[in-house]
Amino acid sequence: SQKIEQNSEALNIQEGKTATLTCNYTNYSPAYLQWYRQDPGRGPVFLLLIRENEKEKRKERLKVTFDTTLKQSLFHITASQPADSATYLCALDEMDSSYKLIFGSGTRLLVRP
Amino acid sequence: ETGVTQSPTHLIKTRGQQVTLRCSSQSGHNTVSWYQQALGQGPQFIFQYYREEENGRGNFPPRFSGLQFPNYSSELNVNALELDDSALYLCASSPGGSSSYNEQFFGPGTRLTVL
C-alpha cells in the first residue's frame, strides 16, 4: 500500500526566508496530491491541490511542485511569517479508491520573528 | 455559509463503553468522511458516506460504524472502546459527489480520551 514520508523533525526558519517542505511517496503515483495546514487542536485546512499532469501550482506565497519521477512533492512558502507556523500535511489518493485520502504525519514549521 | 461542525468537543469514556460523535457538513456538501488522528500522526481514513450510503472504508474494525442522514449530517459510533481509540476524530465534508478529488473541509474535531 501507499506510504507517505514527511520530515518528522520541525523546520525552524527565520522570518522572510523561504520554507521548503518535502513529501515523498513510495508506491504508485497518485492522480493528485493535496497540502493542508493544521494548527494545534484544530482540523486541517486545505491549501493546494496538484494533479499528476501538473508540474507546479501557485497560490499567493505558496508554491507546490509534483515530480512523479522522483515520487516527490515540494511545498514552498515564500517570505515566511510567524503566522505561517503550523504543521503541514501532505495527502494523496489511494489507487482505485479516489474517495480515500492518505495523509502523511506532517512537518511542523516554526518561523522565528 | 456555515462550516463543518462537530460535537462534542471533548469526551472522556472508559474501556468497553460506546460513544457517538456527531458532524454537520458544510452547506451544499453531500459527502462526509471520518478520520482518526493520533497525537503526532496524520489523519487516518475511517470511512466515507455519500448520500446516506457508506462509500468506502479504511482499515478499521467493524466496531467503528457510521450513519449519514438525509440532511447529510453524520454520526460515528464506536463500540467496545479500547485505550488505543483515544485520539482526535475529524469529520470532513466535500462537494461534488463521492470522490475525494475535491478538497476536504474539516471540522474542529472531537477529542476522545479512553481511560
Side-chain angles (χ1 to χ4, degrees):
Chain A
S1 61
Q2 189 68 281
K3 188 178 176 185
I4 300 174
E5 295 169 351
Q6 292 187 259
N7 196 340
S8 58
E9 287 190 19
L11 178 63
N12 201 322
I13 65 168
Q14 184 73 42
E15 181 176 9
K17 300 293 185 184
T18 296
T20 298
L21 291 81
T22 305
C23 173
N24 295 300
Y25 55 94
T26 59
N27 204 343
Y28 59 89
S29 281
Y32 61 92
L33 191 146
Q34 302 184 24
W35 283 89
Y36 289 79
R37 167 186 172 140
Q38 187 172 27
D39 292 287
R42 294 176 173 260
V45 174
F46 173 81
L47 296 174
L48 280 169
L49 180 153
I50 186 165
R51 295 175 176 78
E52 60 180 334
N53 60 349
E54 297 176 316
K55 295 293 184 187
E56 183 180 296
K57 202 93 173 265
R58 290 174 185 263
K59 180 182 175 183
E60 298 172 353
R61 295 184 295 112
L62 309 180
K63 184 178 85 171
V64 172
T65 62
F66 194 3
D67 189 326
T68 55
T69 302
L70 292 178
K71 295 188 176 182
Q72 181 181 80
S73 174
L74 297 178
F75 177 80
H76 306 272
I77 305 176
T78 57
S80 60
Q81 304 165 0
D84 295 326
S85 298
T87 295
Y88 291 85
L89 299 161
C90 161
L92 46 82
D93 62 301
E94 186 174 83
M95 181 183 275
D96 298 329
S97 302
S98 61
Y99 56 81
K100 183 177 174 181
L101 270 183
I102 304 170
F103 280 85
S105 56
T107 298
R108 190 173 173 208
L109 172 66
L110 299 170
V111 181
R112 303 187 311 274
Chain B
E1 185 180 82
T2 306
V4 178
T5 60
Q6 292 186 245
S7 63
T9 53
H10 296 87
L11 202 52
I12 299 175
K13 291 284 190 178
T14 56
R15 271 189 309 174
Q17 284 189 310
Q18 178 265 344
V19 69
T20 297
L21 310 182
R22 294 177 175 84
C23 169
S24 290
S25 60
Q26 185 160 318
S27 176
H29 290 185
N30 56 19
T31 303
V32 171
S33 301
W34 285 92
Y35 295 83
Q36 180 195 67
Q37 186 174 26
L39 208 59
Q41 301 297 315
Q44 279 197 65
F45 177 82
I46 303 175
F47 42 56
Q48 183 183 85
Y49 279 84
Y50 170 60
R51 292 185 176 177
E52 303 178 58
E53 298 285 333
E54 186 180 291
N55 187 47
R57 190 177 183 93
N59 296 325
F60 281 82
R63 59 189 185 85
F64 285 78
S65 63
L67 280 174
Q68 187 179 33
F69 300 99
N71 66 354
Y72 303 130
S73 65
S74 179
E75 283 183 357
L76 164 66
N77 299 290
V78 187
N79 293 322
L81 284 166
E82 300 176 0
L83 296 180
D84 285 348
D85 296 333
S86 296
L88 181 67
Y89 287 85
L90 295 162
C91 168
S93 72
S94 56
S98 61
S99 170
S100 67
Y101 196 86
N102 298 302
E103 62 184 272
Q104 302 282 296
F105 291 79
F106 283 86
T110 293
R111 172 71 62 187
L112 173 64
T113 302
V114 182
L115 302 175

